[in-house]
Amino acid sequence: MLSTAFLLQSATALIALFSNVRAAPTLNHLNDRAVTFDFNGDKVRGVNLGGWFVLEPWITPSIFQEWADNKQVVDEYTYTKTLGKEEASSRLTKHWKTWITENDFKTIKQAGLNHVRIPIGYWALSPLAGDPYVQGQLPILDQAIQWARSAGLKVLLDLHGAPGSQNGFDNSGRYGAIQWQQGDTVSQTVKALSDLSRRYAGDGDVVTSVELLNEPLGSSLDLNGLKSFYDKGYNAVKAASNNFAVVIEDAFQDFSTYWNGYGSGKADLILDTHQYQIFTPELVGKSPSDHVSAACALGPKLASTNKWTIVGEWTGAQTDCAKWLNGLGTGARYDGTFTGKGGSSYTGKCDGKNVGTVAKLSSDDKSNIRSYIEAQLDAYEQHTGWFFWTWKTESAPEWNMKDLIAGGLFPQPLNSRQHPGQCG
């Protein structure tokens, strides 16, 4: 006789399975349109919807707070493994339904933006046997596409986590060892991209682009193998729809030189680079004016690339003070409390920047953040455009675009300048 627990478990699994089912689009390339955003004539002005379908402890520390002392849970993998599928599914479904809402899409549009970048993990698309991850994200992502359509926004779909982890960061879903490119992980990633692209092949009026993989750590990977993966991923996306541009990451290689020889003959190819000036002691030790100068110097470099190039992640932060930004329970380089790789030395206090709101930042911090954001906007629009990281956080004011706009630190309208001419 089957137990009640077994029946409940089976029912839960079936619900998760069918929640991932969507009518497959008819793939008829004779009717394909061109990419529905003019990447040559218009600028991408966008924001990331971070912490939604891929957890990051620093964006939503309340989700991880119960493990703050023992570090048993540090990412989505250990979160779901520790809670078990039933409890993890219950908690995460509530989070997915509330963290980002239709009103956020409307507010983003009102702020003058034209794109959102939505991170998603492979486990939402093509879960693997033995994974602790839970599903149910896709019906909500379907709804998000409709919200974007109604608001007049475009969408970049970003595969943020790959099997085995492509970088060992918590934002890949699993913190620790980098095991992507081992075993079947690359082919599994291509399958996830194919599933993602086919699911939204009929939404080319909204979805302009698919990003093959977020932040592969090139220094720990076979770069020739990464290029081969990019070839396969490109083909998988284009096989689903010619309406999609395909986005590749620079893998932390020099975006202005290393990738200029890649992609000849590939239509609708976009290079993504992420620009943060905080993750080494040298960078976080820069003065506010040096941060501005470094941002301005990126403009000509971006303009020199031979393909569409976006800055897919950047921030108003000149410090790494945000609580758990460097990992759950980990300190900051800025105030000398970070003890991880590379170490740290004291630059300044994190008071008001580790947790809090934009309104409670010091007047100096407010002025420096506004100046830095303006410089980056001026630099990054010298080529294809940008996506700020991130739309909202629970408590990290330097990173919270929604709060930065409300506090007057993110220009409104976007071309308004309190510090004109910083980039010459």
Side-chain angles (χ1 to χ4, degrees), residues 5 12 15 34 55 66 78 82 89 91 146 154 160 192 198 215 252 265 312 334 337-339 341 354 411:
T12 301
I15 291 170
L55 295 181
E66 63 189 274
T78 51
T82 299
S89 180
R91 294 192 191 189
Q146 181 55 46
K154 302 296 186 181
H160 218 68
R198 290 176 65 88
E215 294 185 351
F252 302 101
Y334 188 77
T337 60
F338 176 78
T339 57
K341 184 178 180 180
N354 55 344

Side-chain angles (χ1 to χ4, degrees), residues 45-57:
R45 298 183 176 103
V47 66
N48 287 273
L49 303 184
W52 192 10
F53 298 123
V54 180
L55 295 181
E56 297 190 40

Side-chain angles (χ1 to χ4, degrees), residues 106-388:
K106 293 177 180 178
T107 305
I108 289 166
K109 178 64 175 181
Q110 290 165 2
L113 305 184
N114 55 36
H115 267 80
V116 292
R117 180 174 180 255
I118 304 181
I120 192 83
Y122 79 89
W123 54 90
L125 302 153
S126 306
L128 301 178
D131 275 351
Y133 297 115
V134 297
Q135 288 69 53
Q137 303 91 330
L138 294 183
I140 300 169
L141 180 56
D142 295 345
Q143 188 176 53
I145 300 300
Q146 181 55 46
W147 290 342
R149 179 177 286 113
S150 297
L153 290 168
K154 302 296 186 181
V155 173
L156 185 161
L157 294 173
D158 155 45
L159 191 67
H160 218 68
S165 180
Q166 71 277 15
N167 53 32
F169 305 154
D170 56 17
N171 63 35
S172 71
R174 190 170 189 180
Y175 174 83
I178 300 172
Q179 297 179 325
W180 189 69
Q181 293 188 326
Q182 298 180 24
D184 295 327
T185 55
V186 170
S187 61
Q188 291 163 346
T189 308
V190 173
K191 181 181 184 304
L193 286 166
S194 179
D195 291 346
L196 178 66
S197 301
R198 290 176 65 88
R199 185 179 187 91
Y200 297 106
D203 296 301
D205 59 314
V206 176
V207 179
T208 64
S209 39
V210 175
E211 187 148 0
L212 300 184
L213 191 57
N214 180 69
E215 294 185 351
L217 188 59
S219 59
S220 298
L221 297 172
D222 176 350
L223 287 172
N224 287 328
L226 178 63
K227 291 176 183 177
S228 175
F229 161 71
Y230 282 167
D231 291 341
K232 295 172 184 176
Y234 177 94
N235 290 338
V237 172
K238 283 298 189 180
S241 175
N242 279 327
N243 296 337
F244 298 152
V246 179
V247 185
I248 62 170
E249 282 257 7
D250 65 6
F252 302 101
Q253 308 302 298
D254 190 320
F255 68 83
S256 66
T257 57
Y258 184 85
W259 294 101
N260 269 357
Y262 175 79
S264 177
K266 287 181 167 60
D268 309 322
L269 188 66
I270 300 175
L271 179 64
D272 180 11
T273 182
H274 295 175
Q275 294 296 324
Y276 296 119
Q277 296 184 34
I278 55 174
F279 289 118
T280 69
E282 294 74 24
L283 288 173
V284 82
K286 287 179 179 290
S287 68
S289 62
D290 285 342
H291 281 295
V292 166
S293 296
C296 289
L298 289 169
K301 287 188 67 175
L302 289 163
S304 73
T305 62
N306 70 349
K307 54 180 66 66
W308 294 331
T309 304
I310 57 172
V311 179
E313 294 186 19
W314 59 282
T315 176
Q318 297 182 345
T319 79
D320 63 338
C321 287
K323 177 182 177 179
W324 298 346
L325 177 64
N326 296 305
L328 191 145
T330 303
R333 297 170 185 83
Y334 188 77
D335 66 0
T337 60
F338 176 78
T339 57
K341 184 178 180 180
S344 62
S345 58
Y346 182 83
T347 299
K349 294 181 179 180
C350 282
D351 296 354
K353 295 184 282 289
N354 55 344
V355 294
T357 64
V358 168
K360 293 184 178 180
L361 290 169
S362 71
S363 58
D364 283 346
D365 284 337
K366 290 179 179 179
S367 178
N368 291 334
I369 291 171
R370 172 81 189 213
S371 171
Y372 186 42
I373 288 174
E374 288 185 12
Q376 291 181 92
L377 291 174
D378 291 343
Y380 303 158
E381 292 203 4
Q382 292 183 41
H383 205 354
T384 311
W386 48 268
F387 289 86
F388 187 84

